[in-house]
């Protein structure tokens, strides 16, 4: 039998990934886009997209609820542009299941991608996120994703999302201290960074600490490429079927 016919070649699978920053801050999208491009393979095109509706940063449940509207619009726009996959580049994975309902393309949240990546390279990990008030969001995701046995702790550095790129905030130094405390006290082998705005620091922290430090943007892009390469789309049978047609207000 001609093996070439049974196994479709995906050696040079073309893949366009819609990488959505669900907050409205363009400078943060630029950082996210760069991290996504550095992670992407040569046959992948990264389209960075900034939400046009919602908060400037996402640091609580209210922000998440507002951001979900802009996020869903950005998913629809990516579908219209023919994107093969979507990445939600915010660590709360806002609107993840709603996004999966409205598209056939795979949708990856950076928190889920980072946590799953961590479990491939370590047994236990801790999350290091931004403000203490966002810890509850990460903790709920840990439970939703069945990661209670793998995630030992969710820590915060108490730096606001929009301060992460300010040199005076000394984010690298503060993150290093918190990661060192996690490695000393949490009984872990890997660290998951809890904000898309930390994406540029993962490699450097990993080299310094000599343990895997995982950025969800890079992980989600790689998982998106894998799913597209495998020819896998979001199931429209059952749980994630398209929303039931009905009268809805426009947004
Ligand atoms: C985030 C994130 O990744 N983007 C944003 O606006 N807020 N997450 C966080 N824990 O602060």
């Amino acid at each position: 039998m001609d093996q070439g016919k049974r196994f479709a070649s995906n050696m040079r699978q073309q893949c366009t990934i819609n990488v959505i920053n669900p907050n409205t801050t363009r400078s943060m999208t630029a950082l996210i886009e760069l991290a996504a491009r550095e992670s992407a393979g040569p046959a992948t095109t990264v389209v960075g997209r900034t939400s046009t509706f919602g908060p400037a940063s996402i640091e609580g449940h209210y922000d998440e609820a507002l951001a979900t509207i802009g996020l869903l619009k950005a998913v629809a726009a990516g579908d219209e542009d023919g994107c093969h996959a979507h990445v939600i580049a915010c660590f709360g994975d806002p609107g993840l299941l709603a996004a999966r309902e409205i598209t056939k393309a795979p949708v990856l949240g950076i928190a889920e991608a980072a946590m799953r990546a961590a479990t491939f390279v370590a047994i236990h990990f801790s999350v290091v996120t931004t403000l203490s008030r966002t810890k509850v969001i990460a903790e709920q995701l840990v439970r939703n994703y069945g990661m209670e046995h793998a995630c030992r702790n969710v820590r915060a550095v108490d730096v606001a999302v929009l301060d992460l790129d300010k040199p005076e905030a000394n984010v690298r130094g503060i993150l290093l201290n918190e990661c060192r405390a996690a490695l000393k006290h949490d009984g872990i082998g890997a660290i998951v960074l809890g904000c898309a705005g930390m994406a540029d620091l993962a490699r450097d922290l990993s080299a310094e600490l000599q343990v895997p430090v995982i950025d969800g943007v890079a992980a989600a892009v790689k998982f998106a490429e894998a799913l597209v390469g495998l020819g896998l789309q979001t199931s429209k049978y059952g749980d994630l079927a398209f929303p039931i047609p009905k009268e809805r207000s426009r947004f």
Side-chain angles (χ1 to χ4, degrees):
M1 185 181 283
D2 180 358
Q3 299 287 346
K5 278 191 183 143
R6 288 175 60 205
F7 301 105
S9 168
N10 56 21
M11 287 290 283
R12 286 227 161 260
Q13 178 87 44
Q14 289 296 318
C15 175
T16 302
I17 306 178
N18 187 31
V19 179
I20 303 162
N21 173 17
N23 75 41
T24 57
T25 302
R26 286 182 187 282
S27 58
M28 198 160 151
T29 311
L31 183 148
I32 290 165
E33 211 174 327
L34 202 64
R37 291 224 164 94
E38 276 179 14
S39 172
T44 296
T45 304
V46 167
V47 177
R49 204 179 294 270
T50 312
S51 173
T52 55
F53 183 93
S57 62
I58 301 166
E59 298 170 313
H61 307 293
Y62 177 71
D63 287 344
E64 281 204 347
L66 279 184
T68 297
I69 304 298
L71 177 270
L72 293 173
K73 278 164 138 317
V75 169
D79 272 351
E80 274 167 31
D81 291 350
C83 292
H84 301 94
H86 307 276
V87 168
I88 302 174
C90 171
F91 199 80
D93 293 353
L96 177 61
L97 294 182
R100 284 180 179 157
E101 273 190 2
I102 63 165
T103 180
K104 273 189 175 175
V107 186
L108 282 296
I110 65 166
E112 184 175 16
M115 289 185 206
R116 298 211 186 282
T119 64
F120 289 131
V121 294
I123 295 174
H124 296 114
F125 66 85
S126 287
V127 175
V128 180
T129 188
T130 53
L131 297 181
S132 291
R133 69 170 293 162
T134 70
K135 280 169 53 170
V136 65
I137 292 174
E139 285 160 0
Q140 284 178 337
L141 293 182
V142 166
R143 285 193 289 278
N144 274 348
Y145 300 149
M147 290 278 168
E148 297 99 321
H149 298 294
C151 181
R152 279 270 164 91
N153 204 355
V154 177
R155 292 167 170 269
V157 290
D158 280 317
V159 177
V161 172
L162 298 183
D163 288 342
L164 286 171
D165 64 351
K166 296 197 173 131
E168 63 272 24
N170 181 29
V171 173
R172 183 183 181 274
I174 291 172
L175 271 177
L176 259 181
N177 281 346
E178 201 59 36
C179 291
R180 286 201 173 105
L183 291 167
K184 188 167 179 196
H185 300 294
D186 296 351
I188 54 163
I191 289 175
V192 164
L193 296 181
C195 182
M198 298 173 178
D200 56 331
L201 295 167
R203 269 180 199 277
D204 175 41
L205 294 175
S206 198
E208 183 83 27
L209 297 164
Q210 292 291 295
V211 297
V213 176
I214 298 154
D215 154 47
V217 176
V221 164
K222 279 291 172 219
F223 285 139
E225 286 177 339
L227 291 170
V228 172
L230 288 165
L232 290 175
Q233 292 197 308
T234 301
S235 174
K236 291 297 134 191
Y237 182 84
D239 302 347
L240 295 170
F242 286 115
I244 298 165
K246 66 183 74 163
E247 187 74 24
R248 287 187 174 90
S249 305
R250 280 189 166 277
F251 62 77

